[in-house]
Amino acid sequence: MITVSEVTMRYGTKVLFDNVNVSFNPGERYGLTGPNGSGKSTFMKILSGDLEAISGRVFRPKRLGILRQDHYQFENDRVLDVVLMGNAALWAAMKEKDALLADGDHHMTEADGLRLGELEMVIAEEDGYMAEPEAAELLEGLGIPEKLHLQPMSSLVGGDKVRVLLAQALFGRPDGLLLDEPTNALDIGSIRWLEGFLAEYTGVLVVISHDRHFLNEVCTKIADIDYETIIVYPGAYDDMVTAKAESRGALELANAAKEKRVQQLQEFVQRFRAGSRASQVKSREKQLEREKQAMADLKRSNIARPFIRFDVTRASGKQVLNLDGVHKQFEHQSITDDLTFHVFRGDKVAIVGPNGIGKTTLLRMIMNEVRADDGKVEWGYETQVGYMPQDHHEVIAKTDQTAHNWLSQFVKDQSEEQLRSIFGKLLFSKDEPFKATKVLSGGETVRLLLAKLMLQKPNVLVLDEPTNHLDLESIRSLTEALDKYEGTCIFVTHDRQMVVDVATRILEMSREGVREVSPEQFAEGHFLEQQKQYHKD
């Protein structure tokens, strides 16, 4: 069990949570939710002990598995050893045993022999003789093939290093698991594997994720940061959304009634202050002060949802995009081989597949940023393309230019008032549009790119991982906007809920090539066998 008692955390005048009391129980899997900036990662660091709260205490189980992000400290360590370090007691015993045995039997004293026996007992108690097979199984499940297990961490790319740290957190059956965005570096096949692993986990799990489908599959309860506290809802994420909407509606009605009561009291005091009802006025004034204080002390919800809608200036022709016999190869890896695929007006095409298979390269060929080795890529009649690359620096230069100035260059007939309206819809407060682009957060940058697409009103959207850096409310709004969009959309994403809700056609990329699968096949996971084989290879 993880118990939080009277914990308060604030930065300056901003209160993240105040006097929080909550328990996370064994056998339950908690999703920690809240919009960007609500304090999710801060609260997770308090739970792990990496950050001390202003006040309050946290009681933790003996062994916690924590997803760390500092993979650089393990650069010279073998991948398998990094996973074994997840069980600190076992790793220390194994290292000390190796050091004792390295000197040879002729240098070993009686004390060394006794110590060696103690270490063997620790290793046995920690199930150390099955440790390496267990660590290898975790790595393979997360997409790290056996051929890399004995290589140093420095030989891996950044995303694979994060997978190794996730395996480290999961290793050794810890009593509690604290996972901050564990799916960020995972493709769909690895996410499904992780869901299955966590479904069988019997300790206490607290996880932060912007993947709604993942939260619905894994979580038995949702701990939501709102109203400067943490409210625990039973069920998965969608259950919480429903329950929260109902409770929030009731609270807002109560708040509206209080505001109306304050207005009535103010009117009474102003009307009769100079008259003969002085005693009643004095009583009302005292009541009014109490009501105003209650309103001032009222904790407001931090929930905020952007308004996203993509309009179309004019429709494209029926045939939007033609790929005819397209071939592309990088070194020894084939991205596409004789790919023929036709996109028609109104299609919503999701491109899925494991990391590193070439999804972004395919999009860049579609956008004519990368030339195909052979074949033709042709856009249809009257197509107007709005493009969001995965690397946002390609679009928004990180300079002293303000977000307002950057977006202004895409304005045609809109007035300053309409431009401000767009910023407001995308949750930029009064002065935030005048921040330099170089200081924008990841979420602000994505919302600025979405604002650009809303202004341009293209009839084709090409989006590469558009949910990166967005919180759950923003992802829901974007998903709904794409579903309602009357144009054509081609997008790459690891967000399965977006694929399920939006896609009418799905292209799956694997080592065996590129093929079209139906939304029904995708929902049932039939395409995963090829992804699993890709990881093994």
Side-chain angles (χ1 to χ4, degrees):
M1 177 183 290
I2 301 174
T3 303
V4 176
S5 178
E6 299 180 351
V7 164
T8 294
M9 193 66 187
R10 68 172 65 90
Y11 289 106
T13 59
K14 182 177 181 181
V15 178
L16 295 180
F17 21 86
D18 181 37
N19 199 35
V20 170
N21 293 278
V22 63
S23 293
F24 300 99
N25 301 313
E28 300 282 6
R29 300 184 293 276
Y30 297 83
L32 185 62
T33 62
N36 288 343
S38 62
K40 299 186 295 296
S41 292
T42 298
F43 187 73
M44 191 72 92
K45 289 176 182 176
I46 292 171
L47 291 184
S48 67
D50 293 338
L51 182 66
E52 187 174 348
I54 290 175
S55 62
R57 299 183 64 188
V58 178
F59 302 91
R60 307 172 183 87
K62 181 180 178 182
R63 285 200 56 220
L64 268 180
I66 303 169
L67 175 57
R68 306 288 186 186
Q69 303 295 336
D70 52 347
H71 54 73
Y72 295 105
Q73 66 173 297
F74 304 111
E75 288 291 274
N76 298 320
D77 295 303
R78 297 189 313 170
V79 168
L80 193 68
D81 291 342
V82 174
V83 179
L84 296 176
M85 292 176 195
N87 185 336
L90 173 62
W91 179 248
M94 292 173 67
K95 292 292 288 182
E96 188 177 348
K97 175 186 172 182
D98 290 343
L100 287 172
L101 294 177
D103 289 336
D105 292 341
H106 57 285
H107 290 298
M108 189 171 293
T109 65
E110 183 177 350
D112 290 338
L114 291 173
R115 180 55 182 161
L116 194 59
E118 292 172 354
L119 293 172
E120 292 284 4
M121 289 181 62
V122 172
I123 293 170
E125 288 172 357
E126 298 292 337
D127 204 15
Y129 299 104
M130 290 299 295
E132 290 196 2
E134 180 188 343
E137 184 179 352
L138 286 170
L139 286 168
E140 290 187 29
L142 290 169
I144 305 297
E146 184 179 359
K147 64 184 180 183
L148 297 178
H149 293 185
L150 301 183
Q151 298 298 313
M153 281 281 279
S154 58
S155 66
L156 303 184
V157 298
D160 284 346
K161 291 177 183 179
V162 176
R163 293 167 185 252
V164 175
L165 295 188
L166 178 55
Q168 181 190 76
L170 302 177
F171 175 71
R173 297 183 296 277
D175 302 313
L177 272 176
L178 303 178
L179 306 179
D180 191 347
E181 295 292 357
T183 65
N184 267 2
L186 303 185
D187 53 46
I188 292 174
S190 297
I191 292 173
R192 291 204 189 226
W193 179 90
L194 180 61
E195 288 172 350
F197 181 93
L198 294 177
E200 298 177 3
Y201 177 65
T202 57
V204 54
L205 167 69
V206 183
V207 59
I208 298 172
S209 178
H210 288 162
D211 186 332
R212 191 174 92 193
H213 197 289
F214 177 81
L215 292 176
N216 281 329
E217 288 294 316
V218 168
C219 297
T220 58
K221 292 185 177 180
I222 299 295
D224 188 59
I225 300 179
D226 205 356
Y227 299 100
E228 298 176 7
T229 189
I230 292 179
I231 305 169
V232 177
Y233 295 86
Y237 178 76
D238 284 349
D239 299 317
M240 181 276 290
V241 170
T242 301
K244 185 173 181 177
E246 293 173 355
S247 60
R248 188 182 182 204
L251 183 60
E252 287 178 349
L253 285 174
N255 290 347
K258 290 179 182 178
E259 289 173 353
K260 185 176 181 180
R261 178 61 177 159
V262 167
Q263 184 180 358
Q264 290 172 339
L265 289 169
Q266 287 175 327
E267 290 174 354
F268 183 91
V269 169
Q270 291 171 356
R271 183 178 179 185
F272 296 107
R273 177 171 284 147
S276 59
R277 304 171 69 174
S279 61
Q280 290 180 323
V281 168
K282 193 168 185 178
S283 173
R284 296 292 198 283
E285 285 179 330
K286 290 181 180 179
Q287 187 178 353
L288 179 59
E289 285 303 313
R290 290 195 297 269
E291 293 285 358
K292 282 184 175 180
Q293 186 60 48
M295 293 295 292
D297 293 339
L298 190 65
K299 294 176 180 178
R300 301 289 181 178
S301 173
N302 61 20
I303 194 167
R305 190 177 186 192
F307 175 83
I308 303 172
R309 186 176 71 190
F310 302 113
D311 293 322
V312 174
T313 302
R314 64 176 182 269
S316 68
K318 183 177 180 181
Q319 282 206 321
V320 171
L321 176 66
N322 293 319
L323 303 177
D324 291 315
V326 173
H327 176 76
K328 183 65 182 178
Q329 184 160 338
F330 281 131
E331 296 179 353
H332 302 296
Q333 181 178 340
S334 175
I335 305 298
T336 60
D337 186 15
D338 196 30
L339 172 63
T340 296
F341 186 72
H342 304 292
V343 179
F344 301 95
R345 184 177 58 230
D347 283 348
K348 309 283 178 65
V349 182
I351 301 174
V352 301
N355 288 339
I357 200 64
K359 300 185 295 295
T360 292
T361 301
L362 178 55
L363 279 195
R364 295 188 67 149
M365 282 195 292
I366 288 171
M367 293 302 300
N368 295 313
E369 292 183 348
V370 173
R371 291 181 63 86
D373 297 334
D374 197 9
K376 292 183 179 180
V377 178
E378 295 181 334
W379 286 101
Y381 177 71
E382 288 285 354
T383 53
Q384 298 172 318
V385 183
Y387 178 43
M388 180 191 288
Q390 186 174 162
D391 184 358
H392 303 144
H393 292 85
E394 296 178 13
V395 184
I396 300 179
K398 292 297 183 178
T399 68
D400 290 326
Q401 182 185 32
T402 67
H404 181 278
N405 288 342
W406 182 86
L407 191 61
S408 296
Q409 63 188 309
F410 305 105
V411 173
K412 294 180 180 178
D413 302 323
Q414 288 87 351
S415 64
E416 174 65 19
E417 184 178 348
Q418 290 170 317
L419 186 61
R420 286 298 195 98
S421 174
I422 288 285
F423 274 114
K425 289 175 180 178
L426 274 300
L427 303 183
F428 286 86
S429 60
K430 183 178 179 181
D431 296 323
E432 285 180 337
F434 300 99
K435 291 167 64 174
T437 57
K438 66 183 180 183
V439 300
L440 295 178
S441 68
E444 288 171 333
T445 300
V446 174
R447 284 185 276 120
L448 185 59
L449 290 172
L450 292 174
K452 171 196 168 187
L453 296 176
M454 289 170 65
L455 284 171
Q456 289 181 319
K457 301 180 181 179
N459 52 36
V460 182
L461 290 173
V462 178
L463 311 174
D464 193 354
E465 294 290 358
T467 64
N468 283 357
H469 305 295
L470 294 181
D471 59 28
L472 282 162
E473 288 296 323
S474 298
I475 292 172
R476 286 182 65 210
S477 184
L478 175 58
T479 300
E480 291 173 9
L482 292 177
D483 183 46
K484 295 175 182 176
Y485 178 53
E486 295 181 357
T488 306
C489 185
I490 304 169
F491 62 102
V492 169
T493 185
H494 290 315
D495 190 307
R496 286 162 300 159
Q497 197 66 51
M498 177 173 282
V499 176
V500 170
D501 291 347
V502 175
T504 59
R505 302 175 68 188
I506 298 171
L507 273 186
E508 179 212 345
M509 299 183 69
S510 72
R511 282 283 181 87
E512 283 68 38
V514 183
R515 64 168 184 159
E516 184 169 1
V517 298
S518 69
E520 292 75 22
Q521 286 176 308
F522 176 86
E524 293 169 6
H526 292 321
F527 74 106
L528 288 177
E529 290 306 315
Q530 292 192 26
Q531 288 202 31
K532 290 177 183 176
Q533 187 62 43
Y534 171 79
H535 290 318
K536 289 179 182 178
D537 293 343

